[in-house]
Every structure is written in C-alpha cells, then in structure tokens.
C-alpha cells in the first residue's frame, strides 16, 4: 500500500531478504504521518517485524529507502543512524527485550544514556511512567521477577522515556490482559496525539480496530 | 551533555554492568589477578633481587676512588681545591699520613694510627651530629677505641711528639674508609697552607662515573713523583653492576612480557567469550540507539574496571606471599608499573572483542533465542 505526500516517516520501495533468493519484502512503500496510529497486520512470516526494524533503522534494506522528515537514511553512517534511533524512535519489542541483569528502573533509563540525557531528570520521568503503567512498585526488581504483562509495560515505559516522535511497537498487547492492553493502547494514542507517528505490528483485531489505519502485508 | 559528563555517564554504566554481571566480572578479575601475581612472583622476585644487588653495589664504597700516597710523593690538601666543582664528584676527603696515637691516661698503651682529615662535608666521614672540626678533637671507631682502651668514647690521645687530642666521640666507619681501620681522625678546619696528604678518597655520584673520574682525579693530583702514588677504584664492581642490571633486567623483562602476552591472549579469549554470551545484550543496546563507539567504550571500560581491581588484588596477594616467604619485595615503581601494564594489556585485549560486538547487526543478535 502506498500513501503519497509528505510524511514524518516514509518507506519508499523497500526490499529485504535474510537469505539470497528468498525475498521477504519487495518494493514496499508507505508513509506514516505525525499524529496517526497505523497497524501493520498479516500472516506470520510475512516480514511484519522485519518491516518495523527497517523503519526503525535497525536494518538496512537491500534496496529502497527509509525517509525520516524527508531525509533518506539508508546511506547515513552507523553513528548517525544510532543517534536517530535513540533520539527519534521509541521501540517496544515483541519479547520486551529487557536486560535481565539490571533493575526495572535501569532498563527504563537505558536509552537516556544513548541520547545523552541527564540521568536525574530522566529518572524522575521514568518513575512517573512506571507509576502510570502500574509497575512503580517493581522499580528495583529484576525483569525475571515480573510477569510477562509487566515486562511489556516496562518496555513501553522505556520506549516512551525519550518522548519519541516515532513509536514502533511489535505486538505490544500480545502478553497483556484486557485491562493492561487498554492502558497500552491509550498510551499509544496519547503519544500520537503528542505528535508522534505510531506504527504497531499486531495480530489483535481489537487493537487493529482502534488504529487509524491498517496496512496488510 | 558535556564531554566530561557524557564520559562519566558511560563509566557509571560500565561500572553498573560490571556489578550486574558478577560471574563474568569475577572470571576477568581472577585472570588479571593471576597475571599480576604470576609476574610479581616470578620476574618481580628477580627484579627485587636485582634491585637489592644493585643497591648494594651502588653503595658509596663501590663508587670510591682511593689514592694512597707515600710521604715524599708530594700530594697535599690543595688537591681538594682542584677537585671542587668537578662534575660527578659526590664527596672528597683528604687524610694526612698516619701518626701513632696512644691513650693519654696510661703510658705504653697500644698505638693506633691517627690521621688529620680535611673535607667540606663531614657527614660522609661518619662523624656524630654536631661534631666540631676545630682541629683539636679526634673521633675514633669502635675498633680503635677498643685498642686504645677507651670506654665511653671519652678520653685523651697523646702523640709521640707530645701533641694531644681530645676524643670527641665514636664514629661508624663508612664503607669507603674501611681501609683506614682502626680509624682515628681529627677533622681540621680548612688548611691555610697546603698540608701533606697520605690518602685521598673521592666518591663518584654514580657507579658508571668511576672510570672517567679516575682519569680526572689522576690528572689533578699534581704530585712530584707519580710512582709513589697508588690509585684504586671499584671499576670491576661498576662493570658487574652493569651486568647485573643488564642480564637480570633483561631476563625479568622477557619473563614479564611473556606472562603479560599469555595473559593478554587469555583475557582476549575470555572477553570474546563474554561478548558472545552477551550478544543479545549488545544487540538490544544497539537497537535502542547505542552507537558502535559507545558499545566499544562500555566493553573496554568494563574490562579496565575489572582489570584494575584484579591487578590490585593480584599485587596484594603476591606481596603478601613474598613477604611471608621472606623474599625481597620489588620497589613501588615496579609494582605500579606491573599493575598499570596488566590493566593496559587486559583493556587492549578487550578492544578486538568489543569492536566485534559493536559491529554485529543489532537485530540479528536481538533475535538470538
């Protein structure tokens, strides 16, 4: 699906493959505007998560381009792409991807280091986010001591810490009970209302129904 | 964020990671501690022995140039003026020809050789603190006092020509004046007229200067008959010092480098293993925005922290073991050098695995089950 016109984040003719001769994405294009929540859906193995990684500058496409604020990112040096990831994007991975050796608070604060943010200021915001998502009491616990749903909420806290302009979430409600899922969904919409482009990979029809747009792979 | 604050934040993160991974940190610590202890217990012991031998060789006695002159050789106290200002001379003293002195308290006592002495610095003569050099007081070694039959280092000396000296105290015979034992010296004020000299002692400031200074001393003696002058030095010992320092030092250095080299490989392999185990951690960091440079910095700083603690622990352990065994301890500069080198070697060995960690595709690592 294509969406013409200026967009905060845009994929332009993206192609990608993990193995030669087995393309996962071919010439995929789409634009994501500030303020919208877009859902990417499709059967398993179609490259939904890979698309998220390409949009989030974690992978380089075989061909095509990812444009951020109209600027092509493909050829940018790694240092700049990393800085963009830290400053512009917020990521919620499918398995939360928390550091099991560090506390919940440390996990939420992790990206502050990559952005060069002041730790004390970031810690205050991290506490507020943990409070908001109902995991403040687990701030000093290790990720191994929290439930899957709590881990996902902690991952969301980490993604929101830097107030990202692009929020990429891979199955953010996959491990959550309906109440928690609602809290997460509200958070995604709120971030969109703050001017972010939110892209959600999901199989959850309820979540898709609450999104502004659905892109099927 | 300023550069210093950014660096501080990275160091804090590396420190927190070190604490958060106790097993990996402990293994790294043990390897570096073992490296330091191995170096100190092998080459450190050699170096300590070498330092002891060299220190012994470096004593004033080894650096002494001794001139013995017969009565009619023509050597006098003016030689001290000619030696003043010669580079490399630490101390010079002139001694008159020996005169028999006896305990004035009783007649017919055993004679001891008394010598008048001239110098600008009486400390090298081993005189007691505050001793005067007015020409009328003599100082004697324990051997001389015993031979004179003087208890308590207080008494009077009488010469055969009727002159006398008060005994002002006991002196510890310096190594470079041992050839004058039993030693009795009467320090003299600066000579108004040149007085005959029977022995001249010149101490070089460094062992390697003994040979060149010997030539200088010979040239300023200004004696009427050079055949009546004998000049002795410790050039052989100075050469021995060079051998000790060179060969033992080279052995110690080779051993140190060998152990450090082996340990560097160990640390490198260990780091590579740790990085492989932590590839998901680095993948997550990279995916969330850590630059390659930051990942390299985190790994190397973390290694440096572990290596610093390991080097301290290993050094302390080795020092304890050496002290318990009664072996000589290497000097603080050597200890600091080995510790610093161990930290540097471990940190450098971690750079390659760190770069390898940083260059991996973040998502490929993050998706490792």
């Amino acid at each position: 699906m294509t969406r013409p016109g200026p967009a905060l984040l845009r994929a332009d003719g993206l192609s990608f493959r993990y193995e030669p001769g087995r393309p996962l994405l071919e010439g995929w294009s789409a634009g994501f505007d500030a303020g919208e929540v877009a859902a990417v859906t499709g059967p398993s193995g179609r490259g939904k998560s890979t698309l998220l990684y390409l949009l989030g500058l974690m992978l380089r496409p075989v061909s095509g381009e990812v444009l951020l604020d109209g600027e092509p990112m493909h050829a940018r040096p790694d240092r700049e792409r990393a800085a963009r990831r830290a400053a512009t994007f917020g990521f919620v991975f499918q398995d939360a991807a928390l550091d099991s050796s560090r506390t919940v608070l440390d996990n939420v604060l992790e990206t502050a280091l990559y952005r060069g943010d002041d730790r004390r200021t970031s810690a205050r915001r991290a506490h507020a986010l943990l409070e908001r998502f109902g995991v403040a009491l687990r701030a000093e616990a290790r990720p191994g001591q929290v439930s899957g749903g709590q881990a996902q909420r902690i991952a969301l806290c980490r993604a929101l810490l830097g107030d990202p302009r692009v929020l990429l979430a891979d199955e953010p409600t996959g491990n959550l009970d309906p109440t928690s899922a609602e809290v997460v969904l509200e958070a995604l919409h709120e971030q969109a209302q703050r001017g972010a482009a939110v892209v959600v990979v999901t199989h959850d029809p309820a979540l898709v129904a609450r999104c502004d747009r659905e892109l099927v792979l | 964020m300023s550069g210093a604050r950014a660096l501080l934040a990275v160091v804090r993160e590396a420190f927190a990671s070190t604490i958060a991974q106790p097993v990996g940190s402990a293994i790294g610590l043990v390897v570096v501690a073992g490296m330091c202890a191995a170096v100190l217990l092998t080459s450190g012991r050699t170096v300590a022995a070498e330092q002891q031998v060299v220190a012994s060789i470096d004593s004033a006695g080894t650096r002494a140039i001794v001139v013995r002159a017969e009565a009619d050789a023509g050597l006098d106290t003016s030689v001290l003026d000619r030696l003043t200002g010669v580079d490399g001379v630490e101390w010079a003293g002139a001694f008159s020809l020996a005169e028999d002195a006896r305990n004035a308290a009783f007649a017919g006592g055993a004679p001891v050789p008394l010598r008048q002495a001239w110098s600008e610095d009486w400390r090298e003569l081993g005189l007691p603190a505050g001793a005067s050099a007015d020409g009328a007081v003599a100082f004697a070694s324990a051997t001389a006092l015993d031979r004179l039959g003087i208890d308590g280092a207080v008494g009077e000396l009488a010469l055969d020509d009727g002159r006398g000296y008060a005994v002002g105290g006991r002196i510890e015979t310096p190594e470079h004046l041992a050839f004058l034992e039993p030693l009795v010296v009467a320090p003299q004020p600066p000579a108004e007229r040149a007085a005959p000299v029977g022995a001249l002692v010149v101490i070089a400031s460094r062992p390697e200067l003994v040979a060149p200074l010997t030539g200088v001393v010979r040239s300023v003696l200004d004696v009427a008959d050079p055949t009546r002058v004998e000049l002795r030095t410790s050039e052989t010992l100075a050469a021995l010092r060079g051998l000790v320092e060179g060969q033992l030092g080279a052995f110690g250095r080779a051993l140190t480098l060998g152990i450090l080299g082996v340990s560097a490989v160990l640390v490198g392999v260990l780091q590579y293993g740790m990085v492989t185990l932590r590839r998901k951690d680095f993948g997550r960091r990279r995916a969330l925005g850590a630059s390659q440079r930051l990942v390299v910095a985190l790994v190397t700083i973390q290694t440096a922290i572990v290596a610093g603690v390991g080097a301290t622990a290993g050094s302390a352990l080795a020092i304890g073991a050496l002290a318990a065994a009664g072996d000589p301890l290497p000097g603080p500069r050597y200890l600091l050098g080995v510790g610093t080198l161990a930290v540097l070697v471990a940190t450098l060995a971690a750079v390659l695995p760190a770069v390898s960690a940083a260059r991996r595709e973040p998502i490929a690592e993050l998706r490792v089950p």
Side-chain angles (χ1 to χ4, degrees):
Chain A
M1 181 185 286
T2 59
R3 185 182 172 87
L8 172 53
L9 180 67
R10 182 166 186 77
D12 195 2
L14 282 187
S15 294
F16 186 82
R17 59 174 179 262
Y18 284 108
E19 295 168 36
R22 295 184 64 184
L24 195 60
L25 291 170
E26 274 199 289
W28 196 88
S29 298
F32 302 93
D33 294 329
E36 76 163 342
V37 181
V40 178
T41 60
S44 296
R46 285 288 176 85
K48 298 187 297 298
S49 296
T50 300
L51 174 64
L52 222 52
Y53 303 149
L54 288 164
L55 292 173
L57 311 181
M58 296 176 219
L59 285 176
R60 288 182 197 263
V62 174
S63 63
E65 188 58 88
V66 172
L67 299 106
L68 187 63
D69 291 323
E71 294 178 45
M73 291 287 120
H74 180 86
R76 297 297 169 98
D78 178 82
R79 192 178 53 187
E80 194 181 329
R81 287 166 62 93
R84 291 283 187 142
R85 283 200 297 274
T88 308
F89 291 87
F91 301 99
V92 180
F93 298 104
Q94 197 169 355
D95 65 347
L98 300 175
D99 183 349
S100 58
S101 68
R102 306 291 290 275
T103 64
V104 164
L105 180 62
D106 283 344
N107 271 281
V108 175
L109 280 171
E110 180 175 351
T111 54
L113 174 70
Y114 311 145
R115 282 189 297 275
D117 289 349
D118 178 66
R119 187 175 168 90
R120 203 170 294 175
T121 311
S122 299
R124 278 198 292 270
R125 182 165 162 74
H127 277 295
L129 285 166
L130 289 170
E131 188 76 47
R132 178 181 162 195
F133 288 100
V135 279
L137 292 175
R138 312 300 287 155
E140 295 306 320
R142 307 275 162 179
Q145 298 169 314
V146 302
S147 69
Q150 285 176 322
Q152 200 66 347
R153 278 181 275 163
I154 292 160
L156 188 61
C157 292
R158 181 179 63 191
L160 293 174
L161 183 73
D163 194 14
R165 292 177 59 220
V166 180
L167 183 59
L168 305 176
D170 196 352
E171 300 283 7
T173 57
N175 296 320
L176 301 183
D177 58 82
T179 312
S180 297
E182 184 59 31
V183 171
V184 169
L185 194 57
E186 279 178 17
L188 298 179
H189 276 283
E190 191 178 307
Q191 195 61 25
Q193 284 164 10
R194 290 169 64 88
V198 178
V199 184
V200 183
V201 165
T202 184
H203 286 108
D204 180 0
L207 177 55
V208 175
R210 301 279 297 275
C211 290
D212 301 321
R213 211 157 41 106
E214 181 182 5
L215 303 167
V216 182
L217 276 183
Chain B
M1 192 186 278
S2 70
R5 287 184 65 145
L7 180 65
L8 192 67
V10 176
V11 171
R12 184 167 45 197
E13 175 64 18
F15 188 77
S17 287
T18 305
I19 301 291
Q21 291 145 18
V23 176
S25 301
I27 294 172
L29 190 148
V30 166
V31 169
V32 177
M35 165 165 64
C36 269
V39 167
L40 292 177
L41 289 173
T42 52
S43 69
R45 197 187 298 231
T46 308
V47 166
E50 175 204 324
Q51 285 172 345
Q52 259 193 350
V53 173
V54 167
S56 168
I57 293 175
D58 280 353
S59 64
T62 314
R63 293 179 280 123
I65 300 165
V66 177
V67 179
R68 305 294 297 267
E70 294 179 21
D72 51 357
L75 182 63
D76 61 40
T77 50
S78 65
V79 70
L80 291 177
D81 298 332
R82 293 192 290 278
L83 282 168
T84 304
V86 172
D87 278 347
V89 173
E90 184 176 291
W91 183 82
F95 301 87
S96 68
L97 292 159
E99 297 175 89
D100 282 348
R102 291 180 172 81
N103 189 343
F106 50 88
V112 294
L114 179 143
R115 292 176 177 85
Q116 292 176 314
W118 295 270
S119 179
E120 289 185 350
D121 180 2
W122 297 112
R123 284 171 302 180
E124 282 290 338
L125 211 54
L127 296 191
S132 67
D134 61 4
V137 179
F139 298 86
S141 69
T143 310
L145 289 171
D146 185 50
R147 189 170 294 184
L148 286 165
I150 295 177
D151 291 329
V154 176
E156 271 188 76
L157 299 178
L159 272 59
D160 291 345
D161 62 5
R163 284 180 294 143
Y165 287 91
V167 176
R170 186 197 308 270
I171 57 174
E172 296 297 327
T173 306
E175 193 185 344
H176 50 279
L177 298 181
F179 70 99
L180 296 178
E181 278 281 32
L183 181 64
V184 183
V185 289
Q188 301 296 304
E192 290 179 6
R193 286 185 305 130
V197 166
L200 172 71
V201 177
V202 178
I203 297 174
S205 54
R206 297 196 306 275
E208 62 269 25
L209 293 178
V210 170
L213 259 187
T214 302
V216 175
V217 170
R218 197 188 301 276
S219 69
V220 300
L221 289 179
D222 194 24
V223 291
D225 185 354
T227 63
R228 298 191 175 277
V229 171
E230 183 195 9
L231 195 142
R232 283 184 298 156
T233 67
S234 304
E235 282 181 62
T236 313
L237 268 179
L240 176 65
R241 181 192 192 278
L243 279 174
V244 168
E245 203 172 39
Q247 292 192 0
L248 277 181
F251 175 69
R253 277 192 293 276
L255 200 59
T256 303
L257 289 176
I259 294 171
L260 286 176
V262 170
S263 303
V265 173
L266 270 178
V267 171
V269 170
L270 177 73
Q271 279 301 323
Y272 197 83
M274 297 304 296
V275 161
T276 306
L277 285 175
R278 292 177 60 197
R279 60 192 191 277
K280 196 161 184 170
D281 176 34
F282 294 124
R284 187 200 66 254
R285 286 181 184 276
R286 294 273 294 121
L288 292 176
S291 65
Q292 291 182 346
R293 201 162 58 173
L294 180 63
V295 171
V296 171
L298 280 174
V299 175
T300 47
I301 292 173
Q302 199 175 331
T303 307
I305 291 169
V306 169
V309 178
T312 307
S315 299
L317 206 68
I319 291 170
L322 287 173
D327 287 333
L329 297 177
R333 281 176 62 185
Y334 182 81
L335 288 171
L336 194 66
V338 167
T340 307
L341 213 55
V343 173
L344 276 177
V345 162
T347 307
L348 284 176
V351 169
L352 211 60
V355 171
S356 157
R359 291 175 72 94
R360 287 173 177 163
E361 196 72 67
I363 285 308
E365 299 304 330
L366 197 56
R367 299 185 97 184
V368 170

